[in-house]
Amino acid sequence: SLGEYSALVAIGSLPLGAAVRWVRERGLAMQRAVPKGEGTMAAILGLDDALILTLCERATSEAIKKRAENSGDPDELSVEAIVEPANYNSPGQVVIAGSKDGIAEAIHLIKTDSEFSKGKIIPLQVSAPFHCKLMAPARERMAEIFSQVEAAHKPKMPICPYVPNRTARMTREAGLVFELLIEQVDHPVLWKQSVTTLLDAGYTHSVEFGPGKVLSGLIKRIAPQSSSENPRKYTQLSINESSHLKSLDVVLKSQERAYV
C-alpha cells in the first residue's frame, strides 16, 4: 500500500517532499492505532477468496463468543474482536488481519475444521494488524492531515493512469486521490485485482523497484501462462541496483503506461 504513494509521486500527482512526510505520519498512525500485542496478521495459502471470507466470519464469531464467556478476564483485549482479509496477494494467497484472539481462532479453524482442511496458515511477525477495521484511528488521522493540506500540495492530474489499492480500477481523477489514500488504511490491499486490471487492459510488462522479487513472483502467479489460446507473454523486471536500469529500455519504449 505504501507503493500507492510512490506511484502517485512517479506520475506527478503528489510532490515528493510532502508524500514522504505523509508516509511517515501514516506509519506512526497505523502503529498507534492498536495497543501493542493486541492485533496481528497471518498468511493463508490454498483457499479461495470466498472460503477465506467464511473463515474470517467464523473466527470473528468464535472470538466474540469466547470473550462473552470470559467477560471480566484481566487479560481481555481492549480492541474489537475481528478478523478480516487485509492483502489479496495472488490466487491462493491472502493475508488476514485482526485482533489477537480472532487470528488465533482462524488458526484453530484451519487446523481442525474439515471445511478449511486444504488451507495452510502462517502467523506473521508484524507490529500491528494493518488494513483492517482496527486501523480506523489511523484512517481518521490521515483524513485530518489531508484536510489541512495547502493548495500547492494537493493532488494534480496524473500524467498517466494509476491503480489505487482501494478500487483496483485504473483512474486519472486527481479529486479522488486523498479520499482513496484515506480509505486504503483500513481496507484490504487489492493487489491481485489491481494486477488483473492491468493484464485485462493489455499490459504485458511490469517493473519492480526495490530489493527482492516478491511482487514479480506474485504477478507470475496472477498472470495466465502463455498458450496457443493465450499467446501473450508477460515480462517482469526487477530493478534493485543502478546497473539494472538499462533493462528498462524495452518498457520505456511502450506507448501505454500505468502505475500500481
Side-chain angles (χ1 to χ4, degrees):
S1 61
L2 172 59
E4 186 165 339
Y5 285 80
S6 301
L8 288 163
V9 169
I11 60 180
S13 185
L14 297 182
L16 175 60
V20 170
R21 291 193 295 273
W22 296 334
V23 165
R24 179 178 184 275
E25 288 294 335
R26 174 180 177 270
L28 291 172
M30 294 177 82
Q31 190 63 56
R32 294 167 179 163
V34 175
K36 187 176 181 180
E38 293 202 15
T40 189
M41 305 176 77
I44 300 178
L45 309 177
L47 298 181
D48 61 37
D49 295 352
L51 203 51
I52 286 174
L53 285 174
T54 299
L55 172 70
C56 289
E57 292 170 358
R58 291 266 306 278
T60 298
S61 296
E62 287 297 318
I64 292 173
K65 178 182 176 181
K66 289 187 177 179
R67 284 198 192 186
E69 293 172 350
N70 300 315
S71 180
D73 189 322
D75 294 327
E76 188 173 359
L77 303 179
S78 63
V79 298
E80 179 182 357
I82 195 168
V83 182
E84 294 180 332
N87 298 75
Y88 289 91
N89 289 340
S90 67
Q93 183 182 135
V94 175
V95 174
I96 59 174
S99 57
K100 183 179 179 180
D101 55 347
I103 297 297
E105 291 299 330
I107 293 172
H108 178 72
L109 285 168
I110 284 189
K111 290 182 176 180
T112 61
D113 194 307
S114 60
E115 184 176 7
F116 311 111
S117 60
K118 293 183 179 180
K120 179 180 179 182
I121 189 164
I122 304 172
L124 301 180
Q125 298 301 315
V126 294
S127 55
F130 304 116
H131 296 292
C132 73
K133 189 177 180 180
L134 298 181
M135 288 289 111
R139 170 179 172 152
E140 293 170 4
R141 173 57 180 155
M142 296 313 297
E144 177 186 7
I145 289 172
F146 290 144
S147 71
Q148 299 172 357
V149 171
E150 58 189 60
H153 289 162
K154 289 186 176 180
K156 296 178 174 58
M157 176 67 72
I159 60 174
C160 70
Y162 84 106
V163 184
N165 284 295
R166 179 73 179 93
T167 65
R169 295 193 296 268
M170 283 198 290
T171 181
R172 291 184 65 182
E173 192 169 343
L176 290 177
V177 167
F178 280 165
E179 178 182 338
L180 293 171
L181 288 176
I182 291 168
E183 290 187 0
Q184 62 136 261
V185 173
D186 61 352
H187 284 80
V189 176
L190 306 180
W191 174 256
K192 178 183 71 173
Q193 296 88 333
S194 296
V195 172
T196 299
T197 291
L198 293 173
L199 295 173
D200 290 345
Y203 291 89
T204 58
H205 291 76
S206 67
V207 183
E208 177 178 5
F209 290 92
K213 300 180 179 181
V214 173
L215 299 183
S216 296
L218 293 178
I219 292 175
K220 187 175 181 181
R221 296 177 190 172
I222 298 167
Q225 298 300 308
S226 177
S227 65
S228 57
E229 293 78 18
N230 177 44
R232 288 189 299 172
K233 293 183 179 181
Y234 302 97
T235 301
Q236 294 93 36
L237 302 176
S238 295
I239 309 298
N240 47 51
E241 58 182 74
S242 58
S243 62
H244 294 166
L245 291 173
K246 294 180 181 179
S247 61
L248 276 175
D249 290 345
V250 65
V251 176
L252 296 178
K253 290 177 182 177
S254 172
Q255 295 182 353
E256 298 292 338
R257 302 179 200 169
Y259 290 71
V260 60

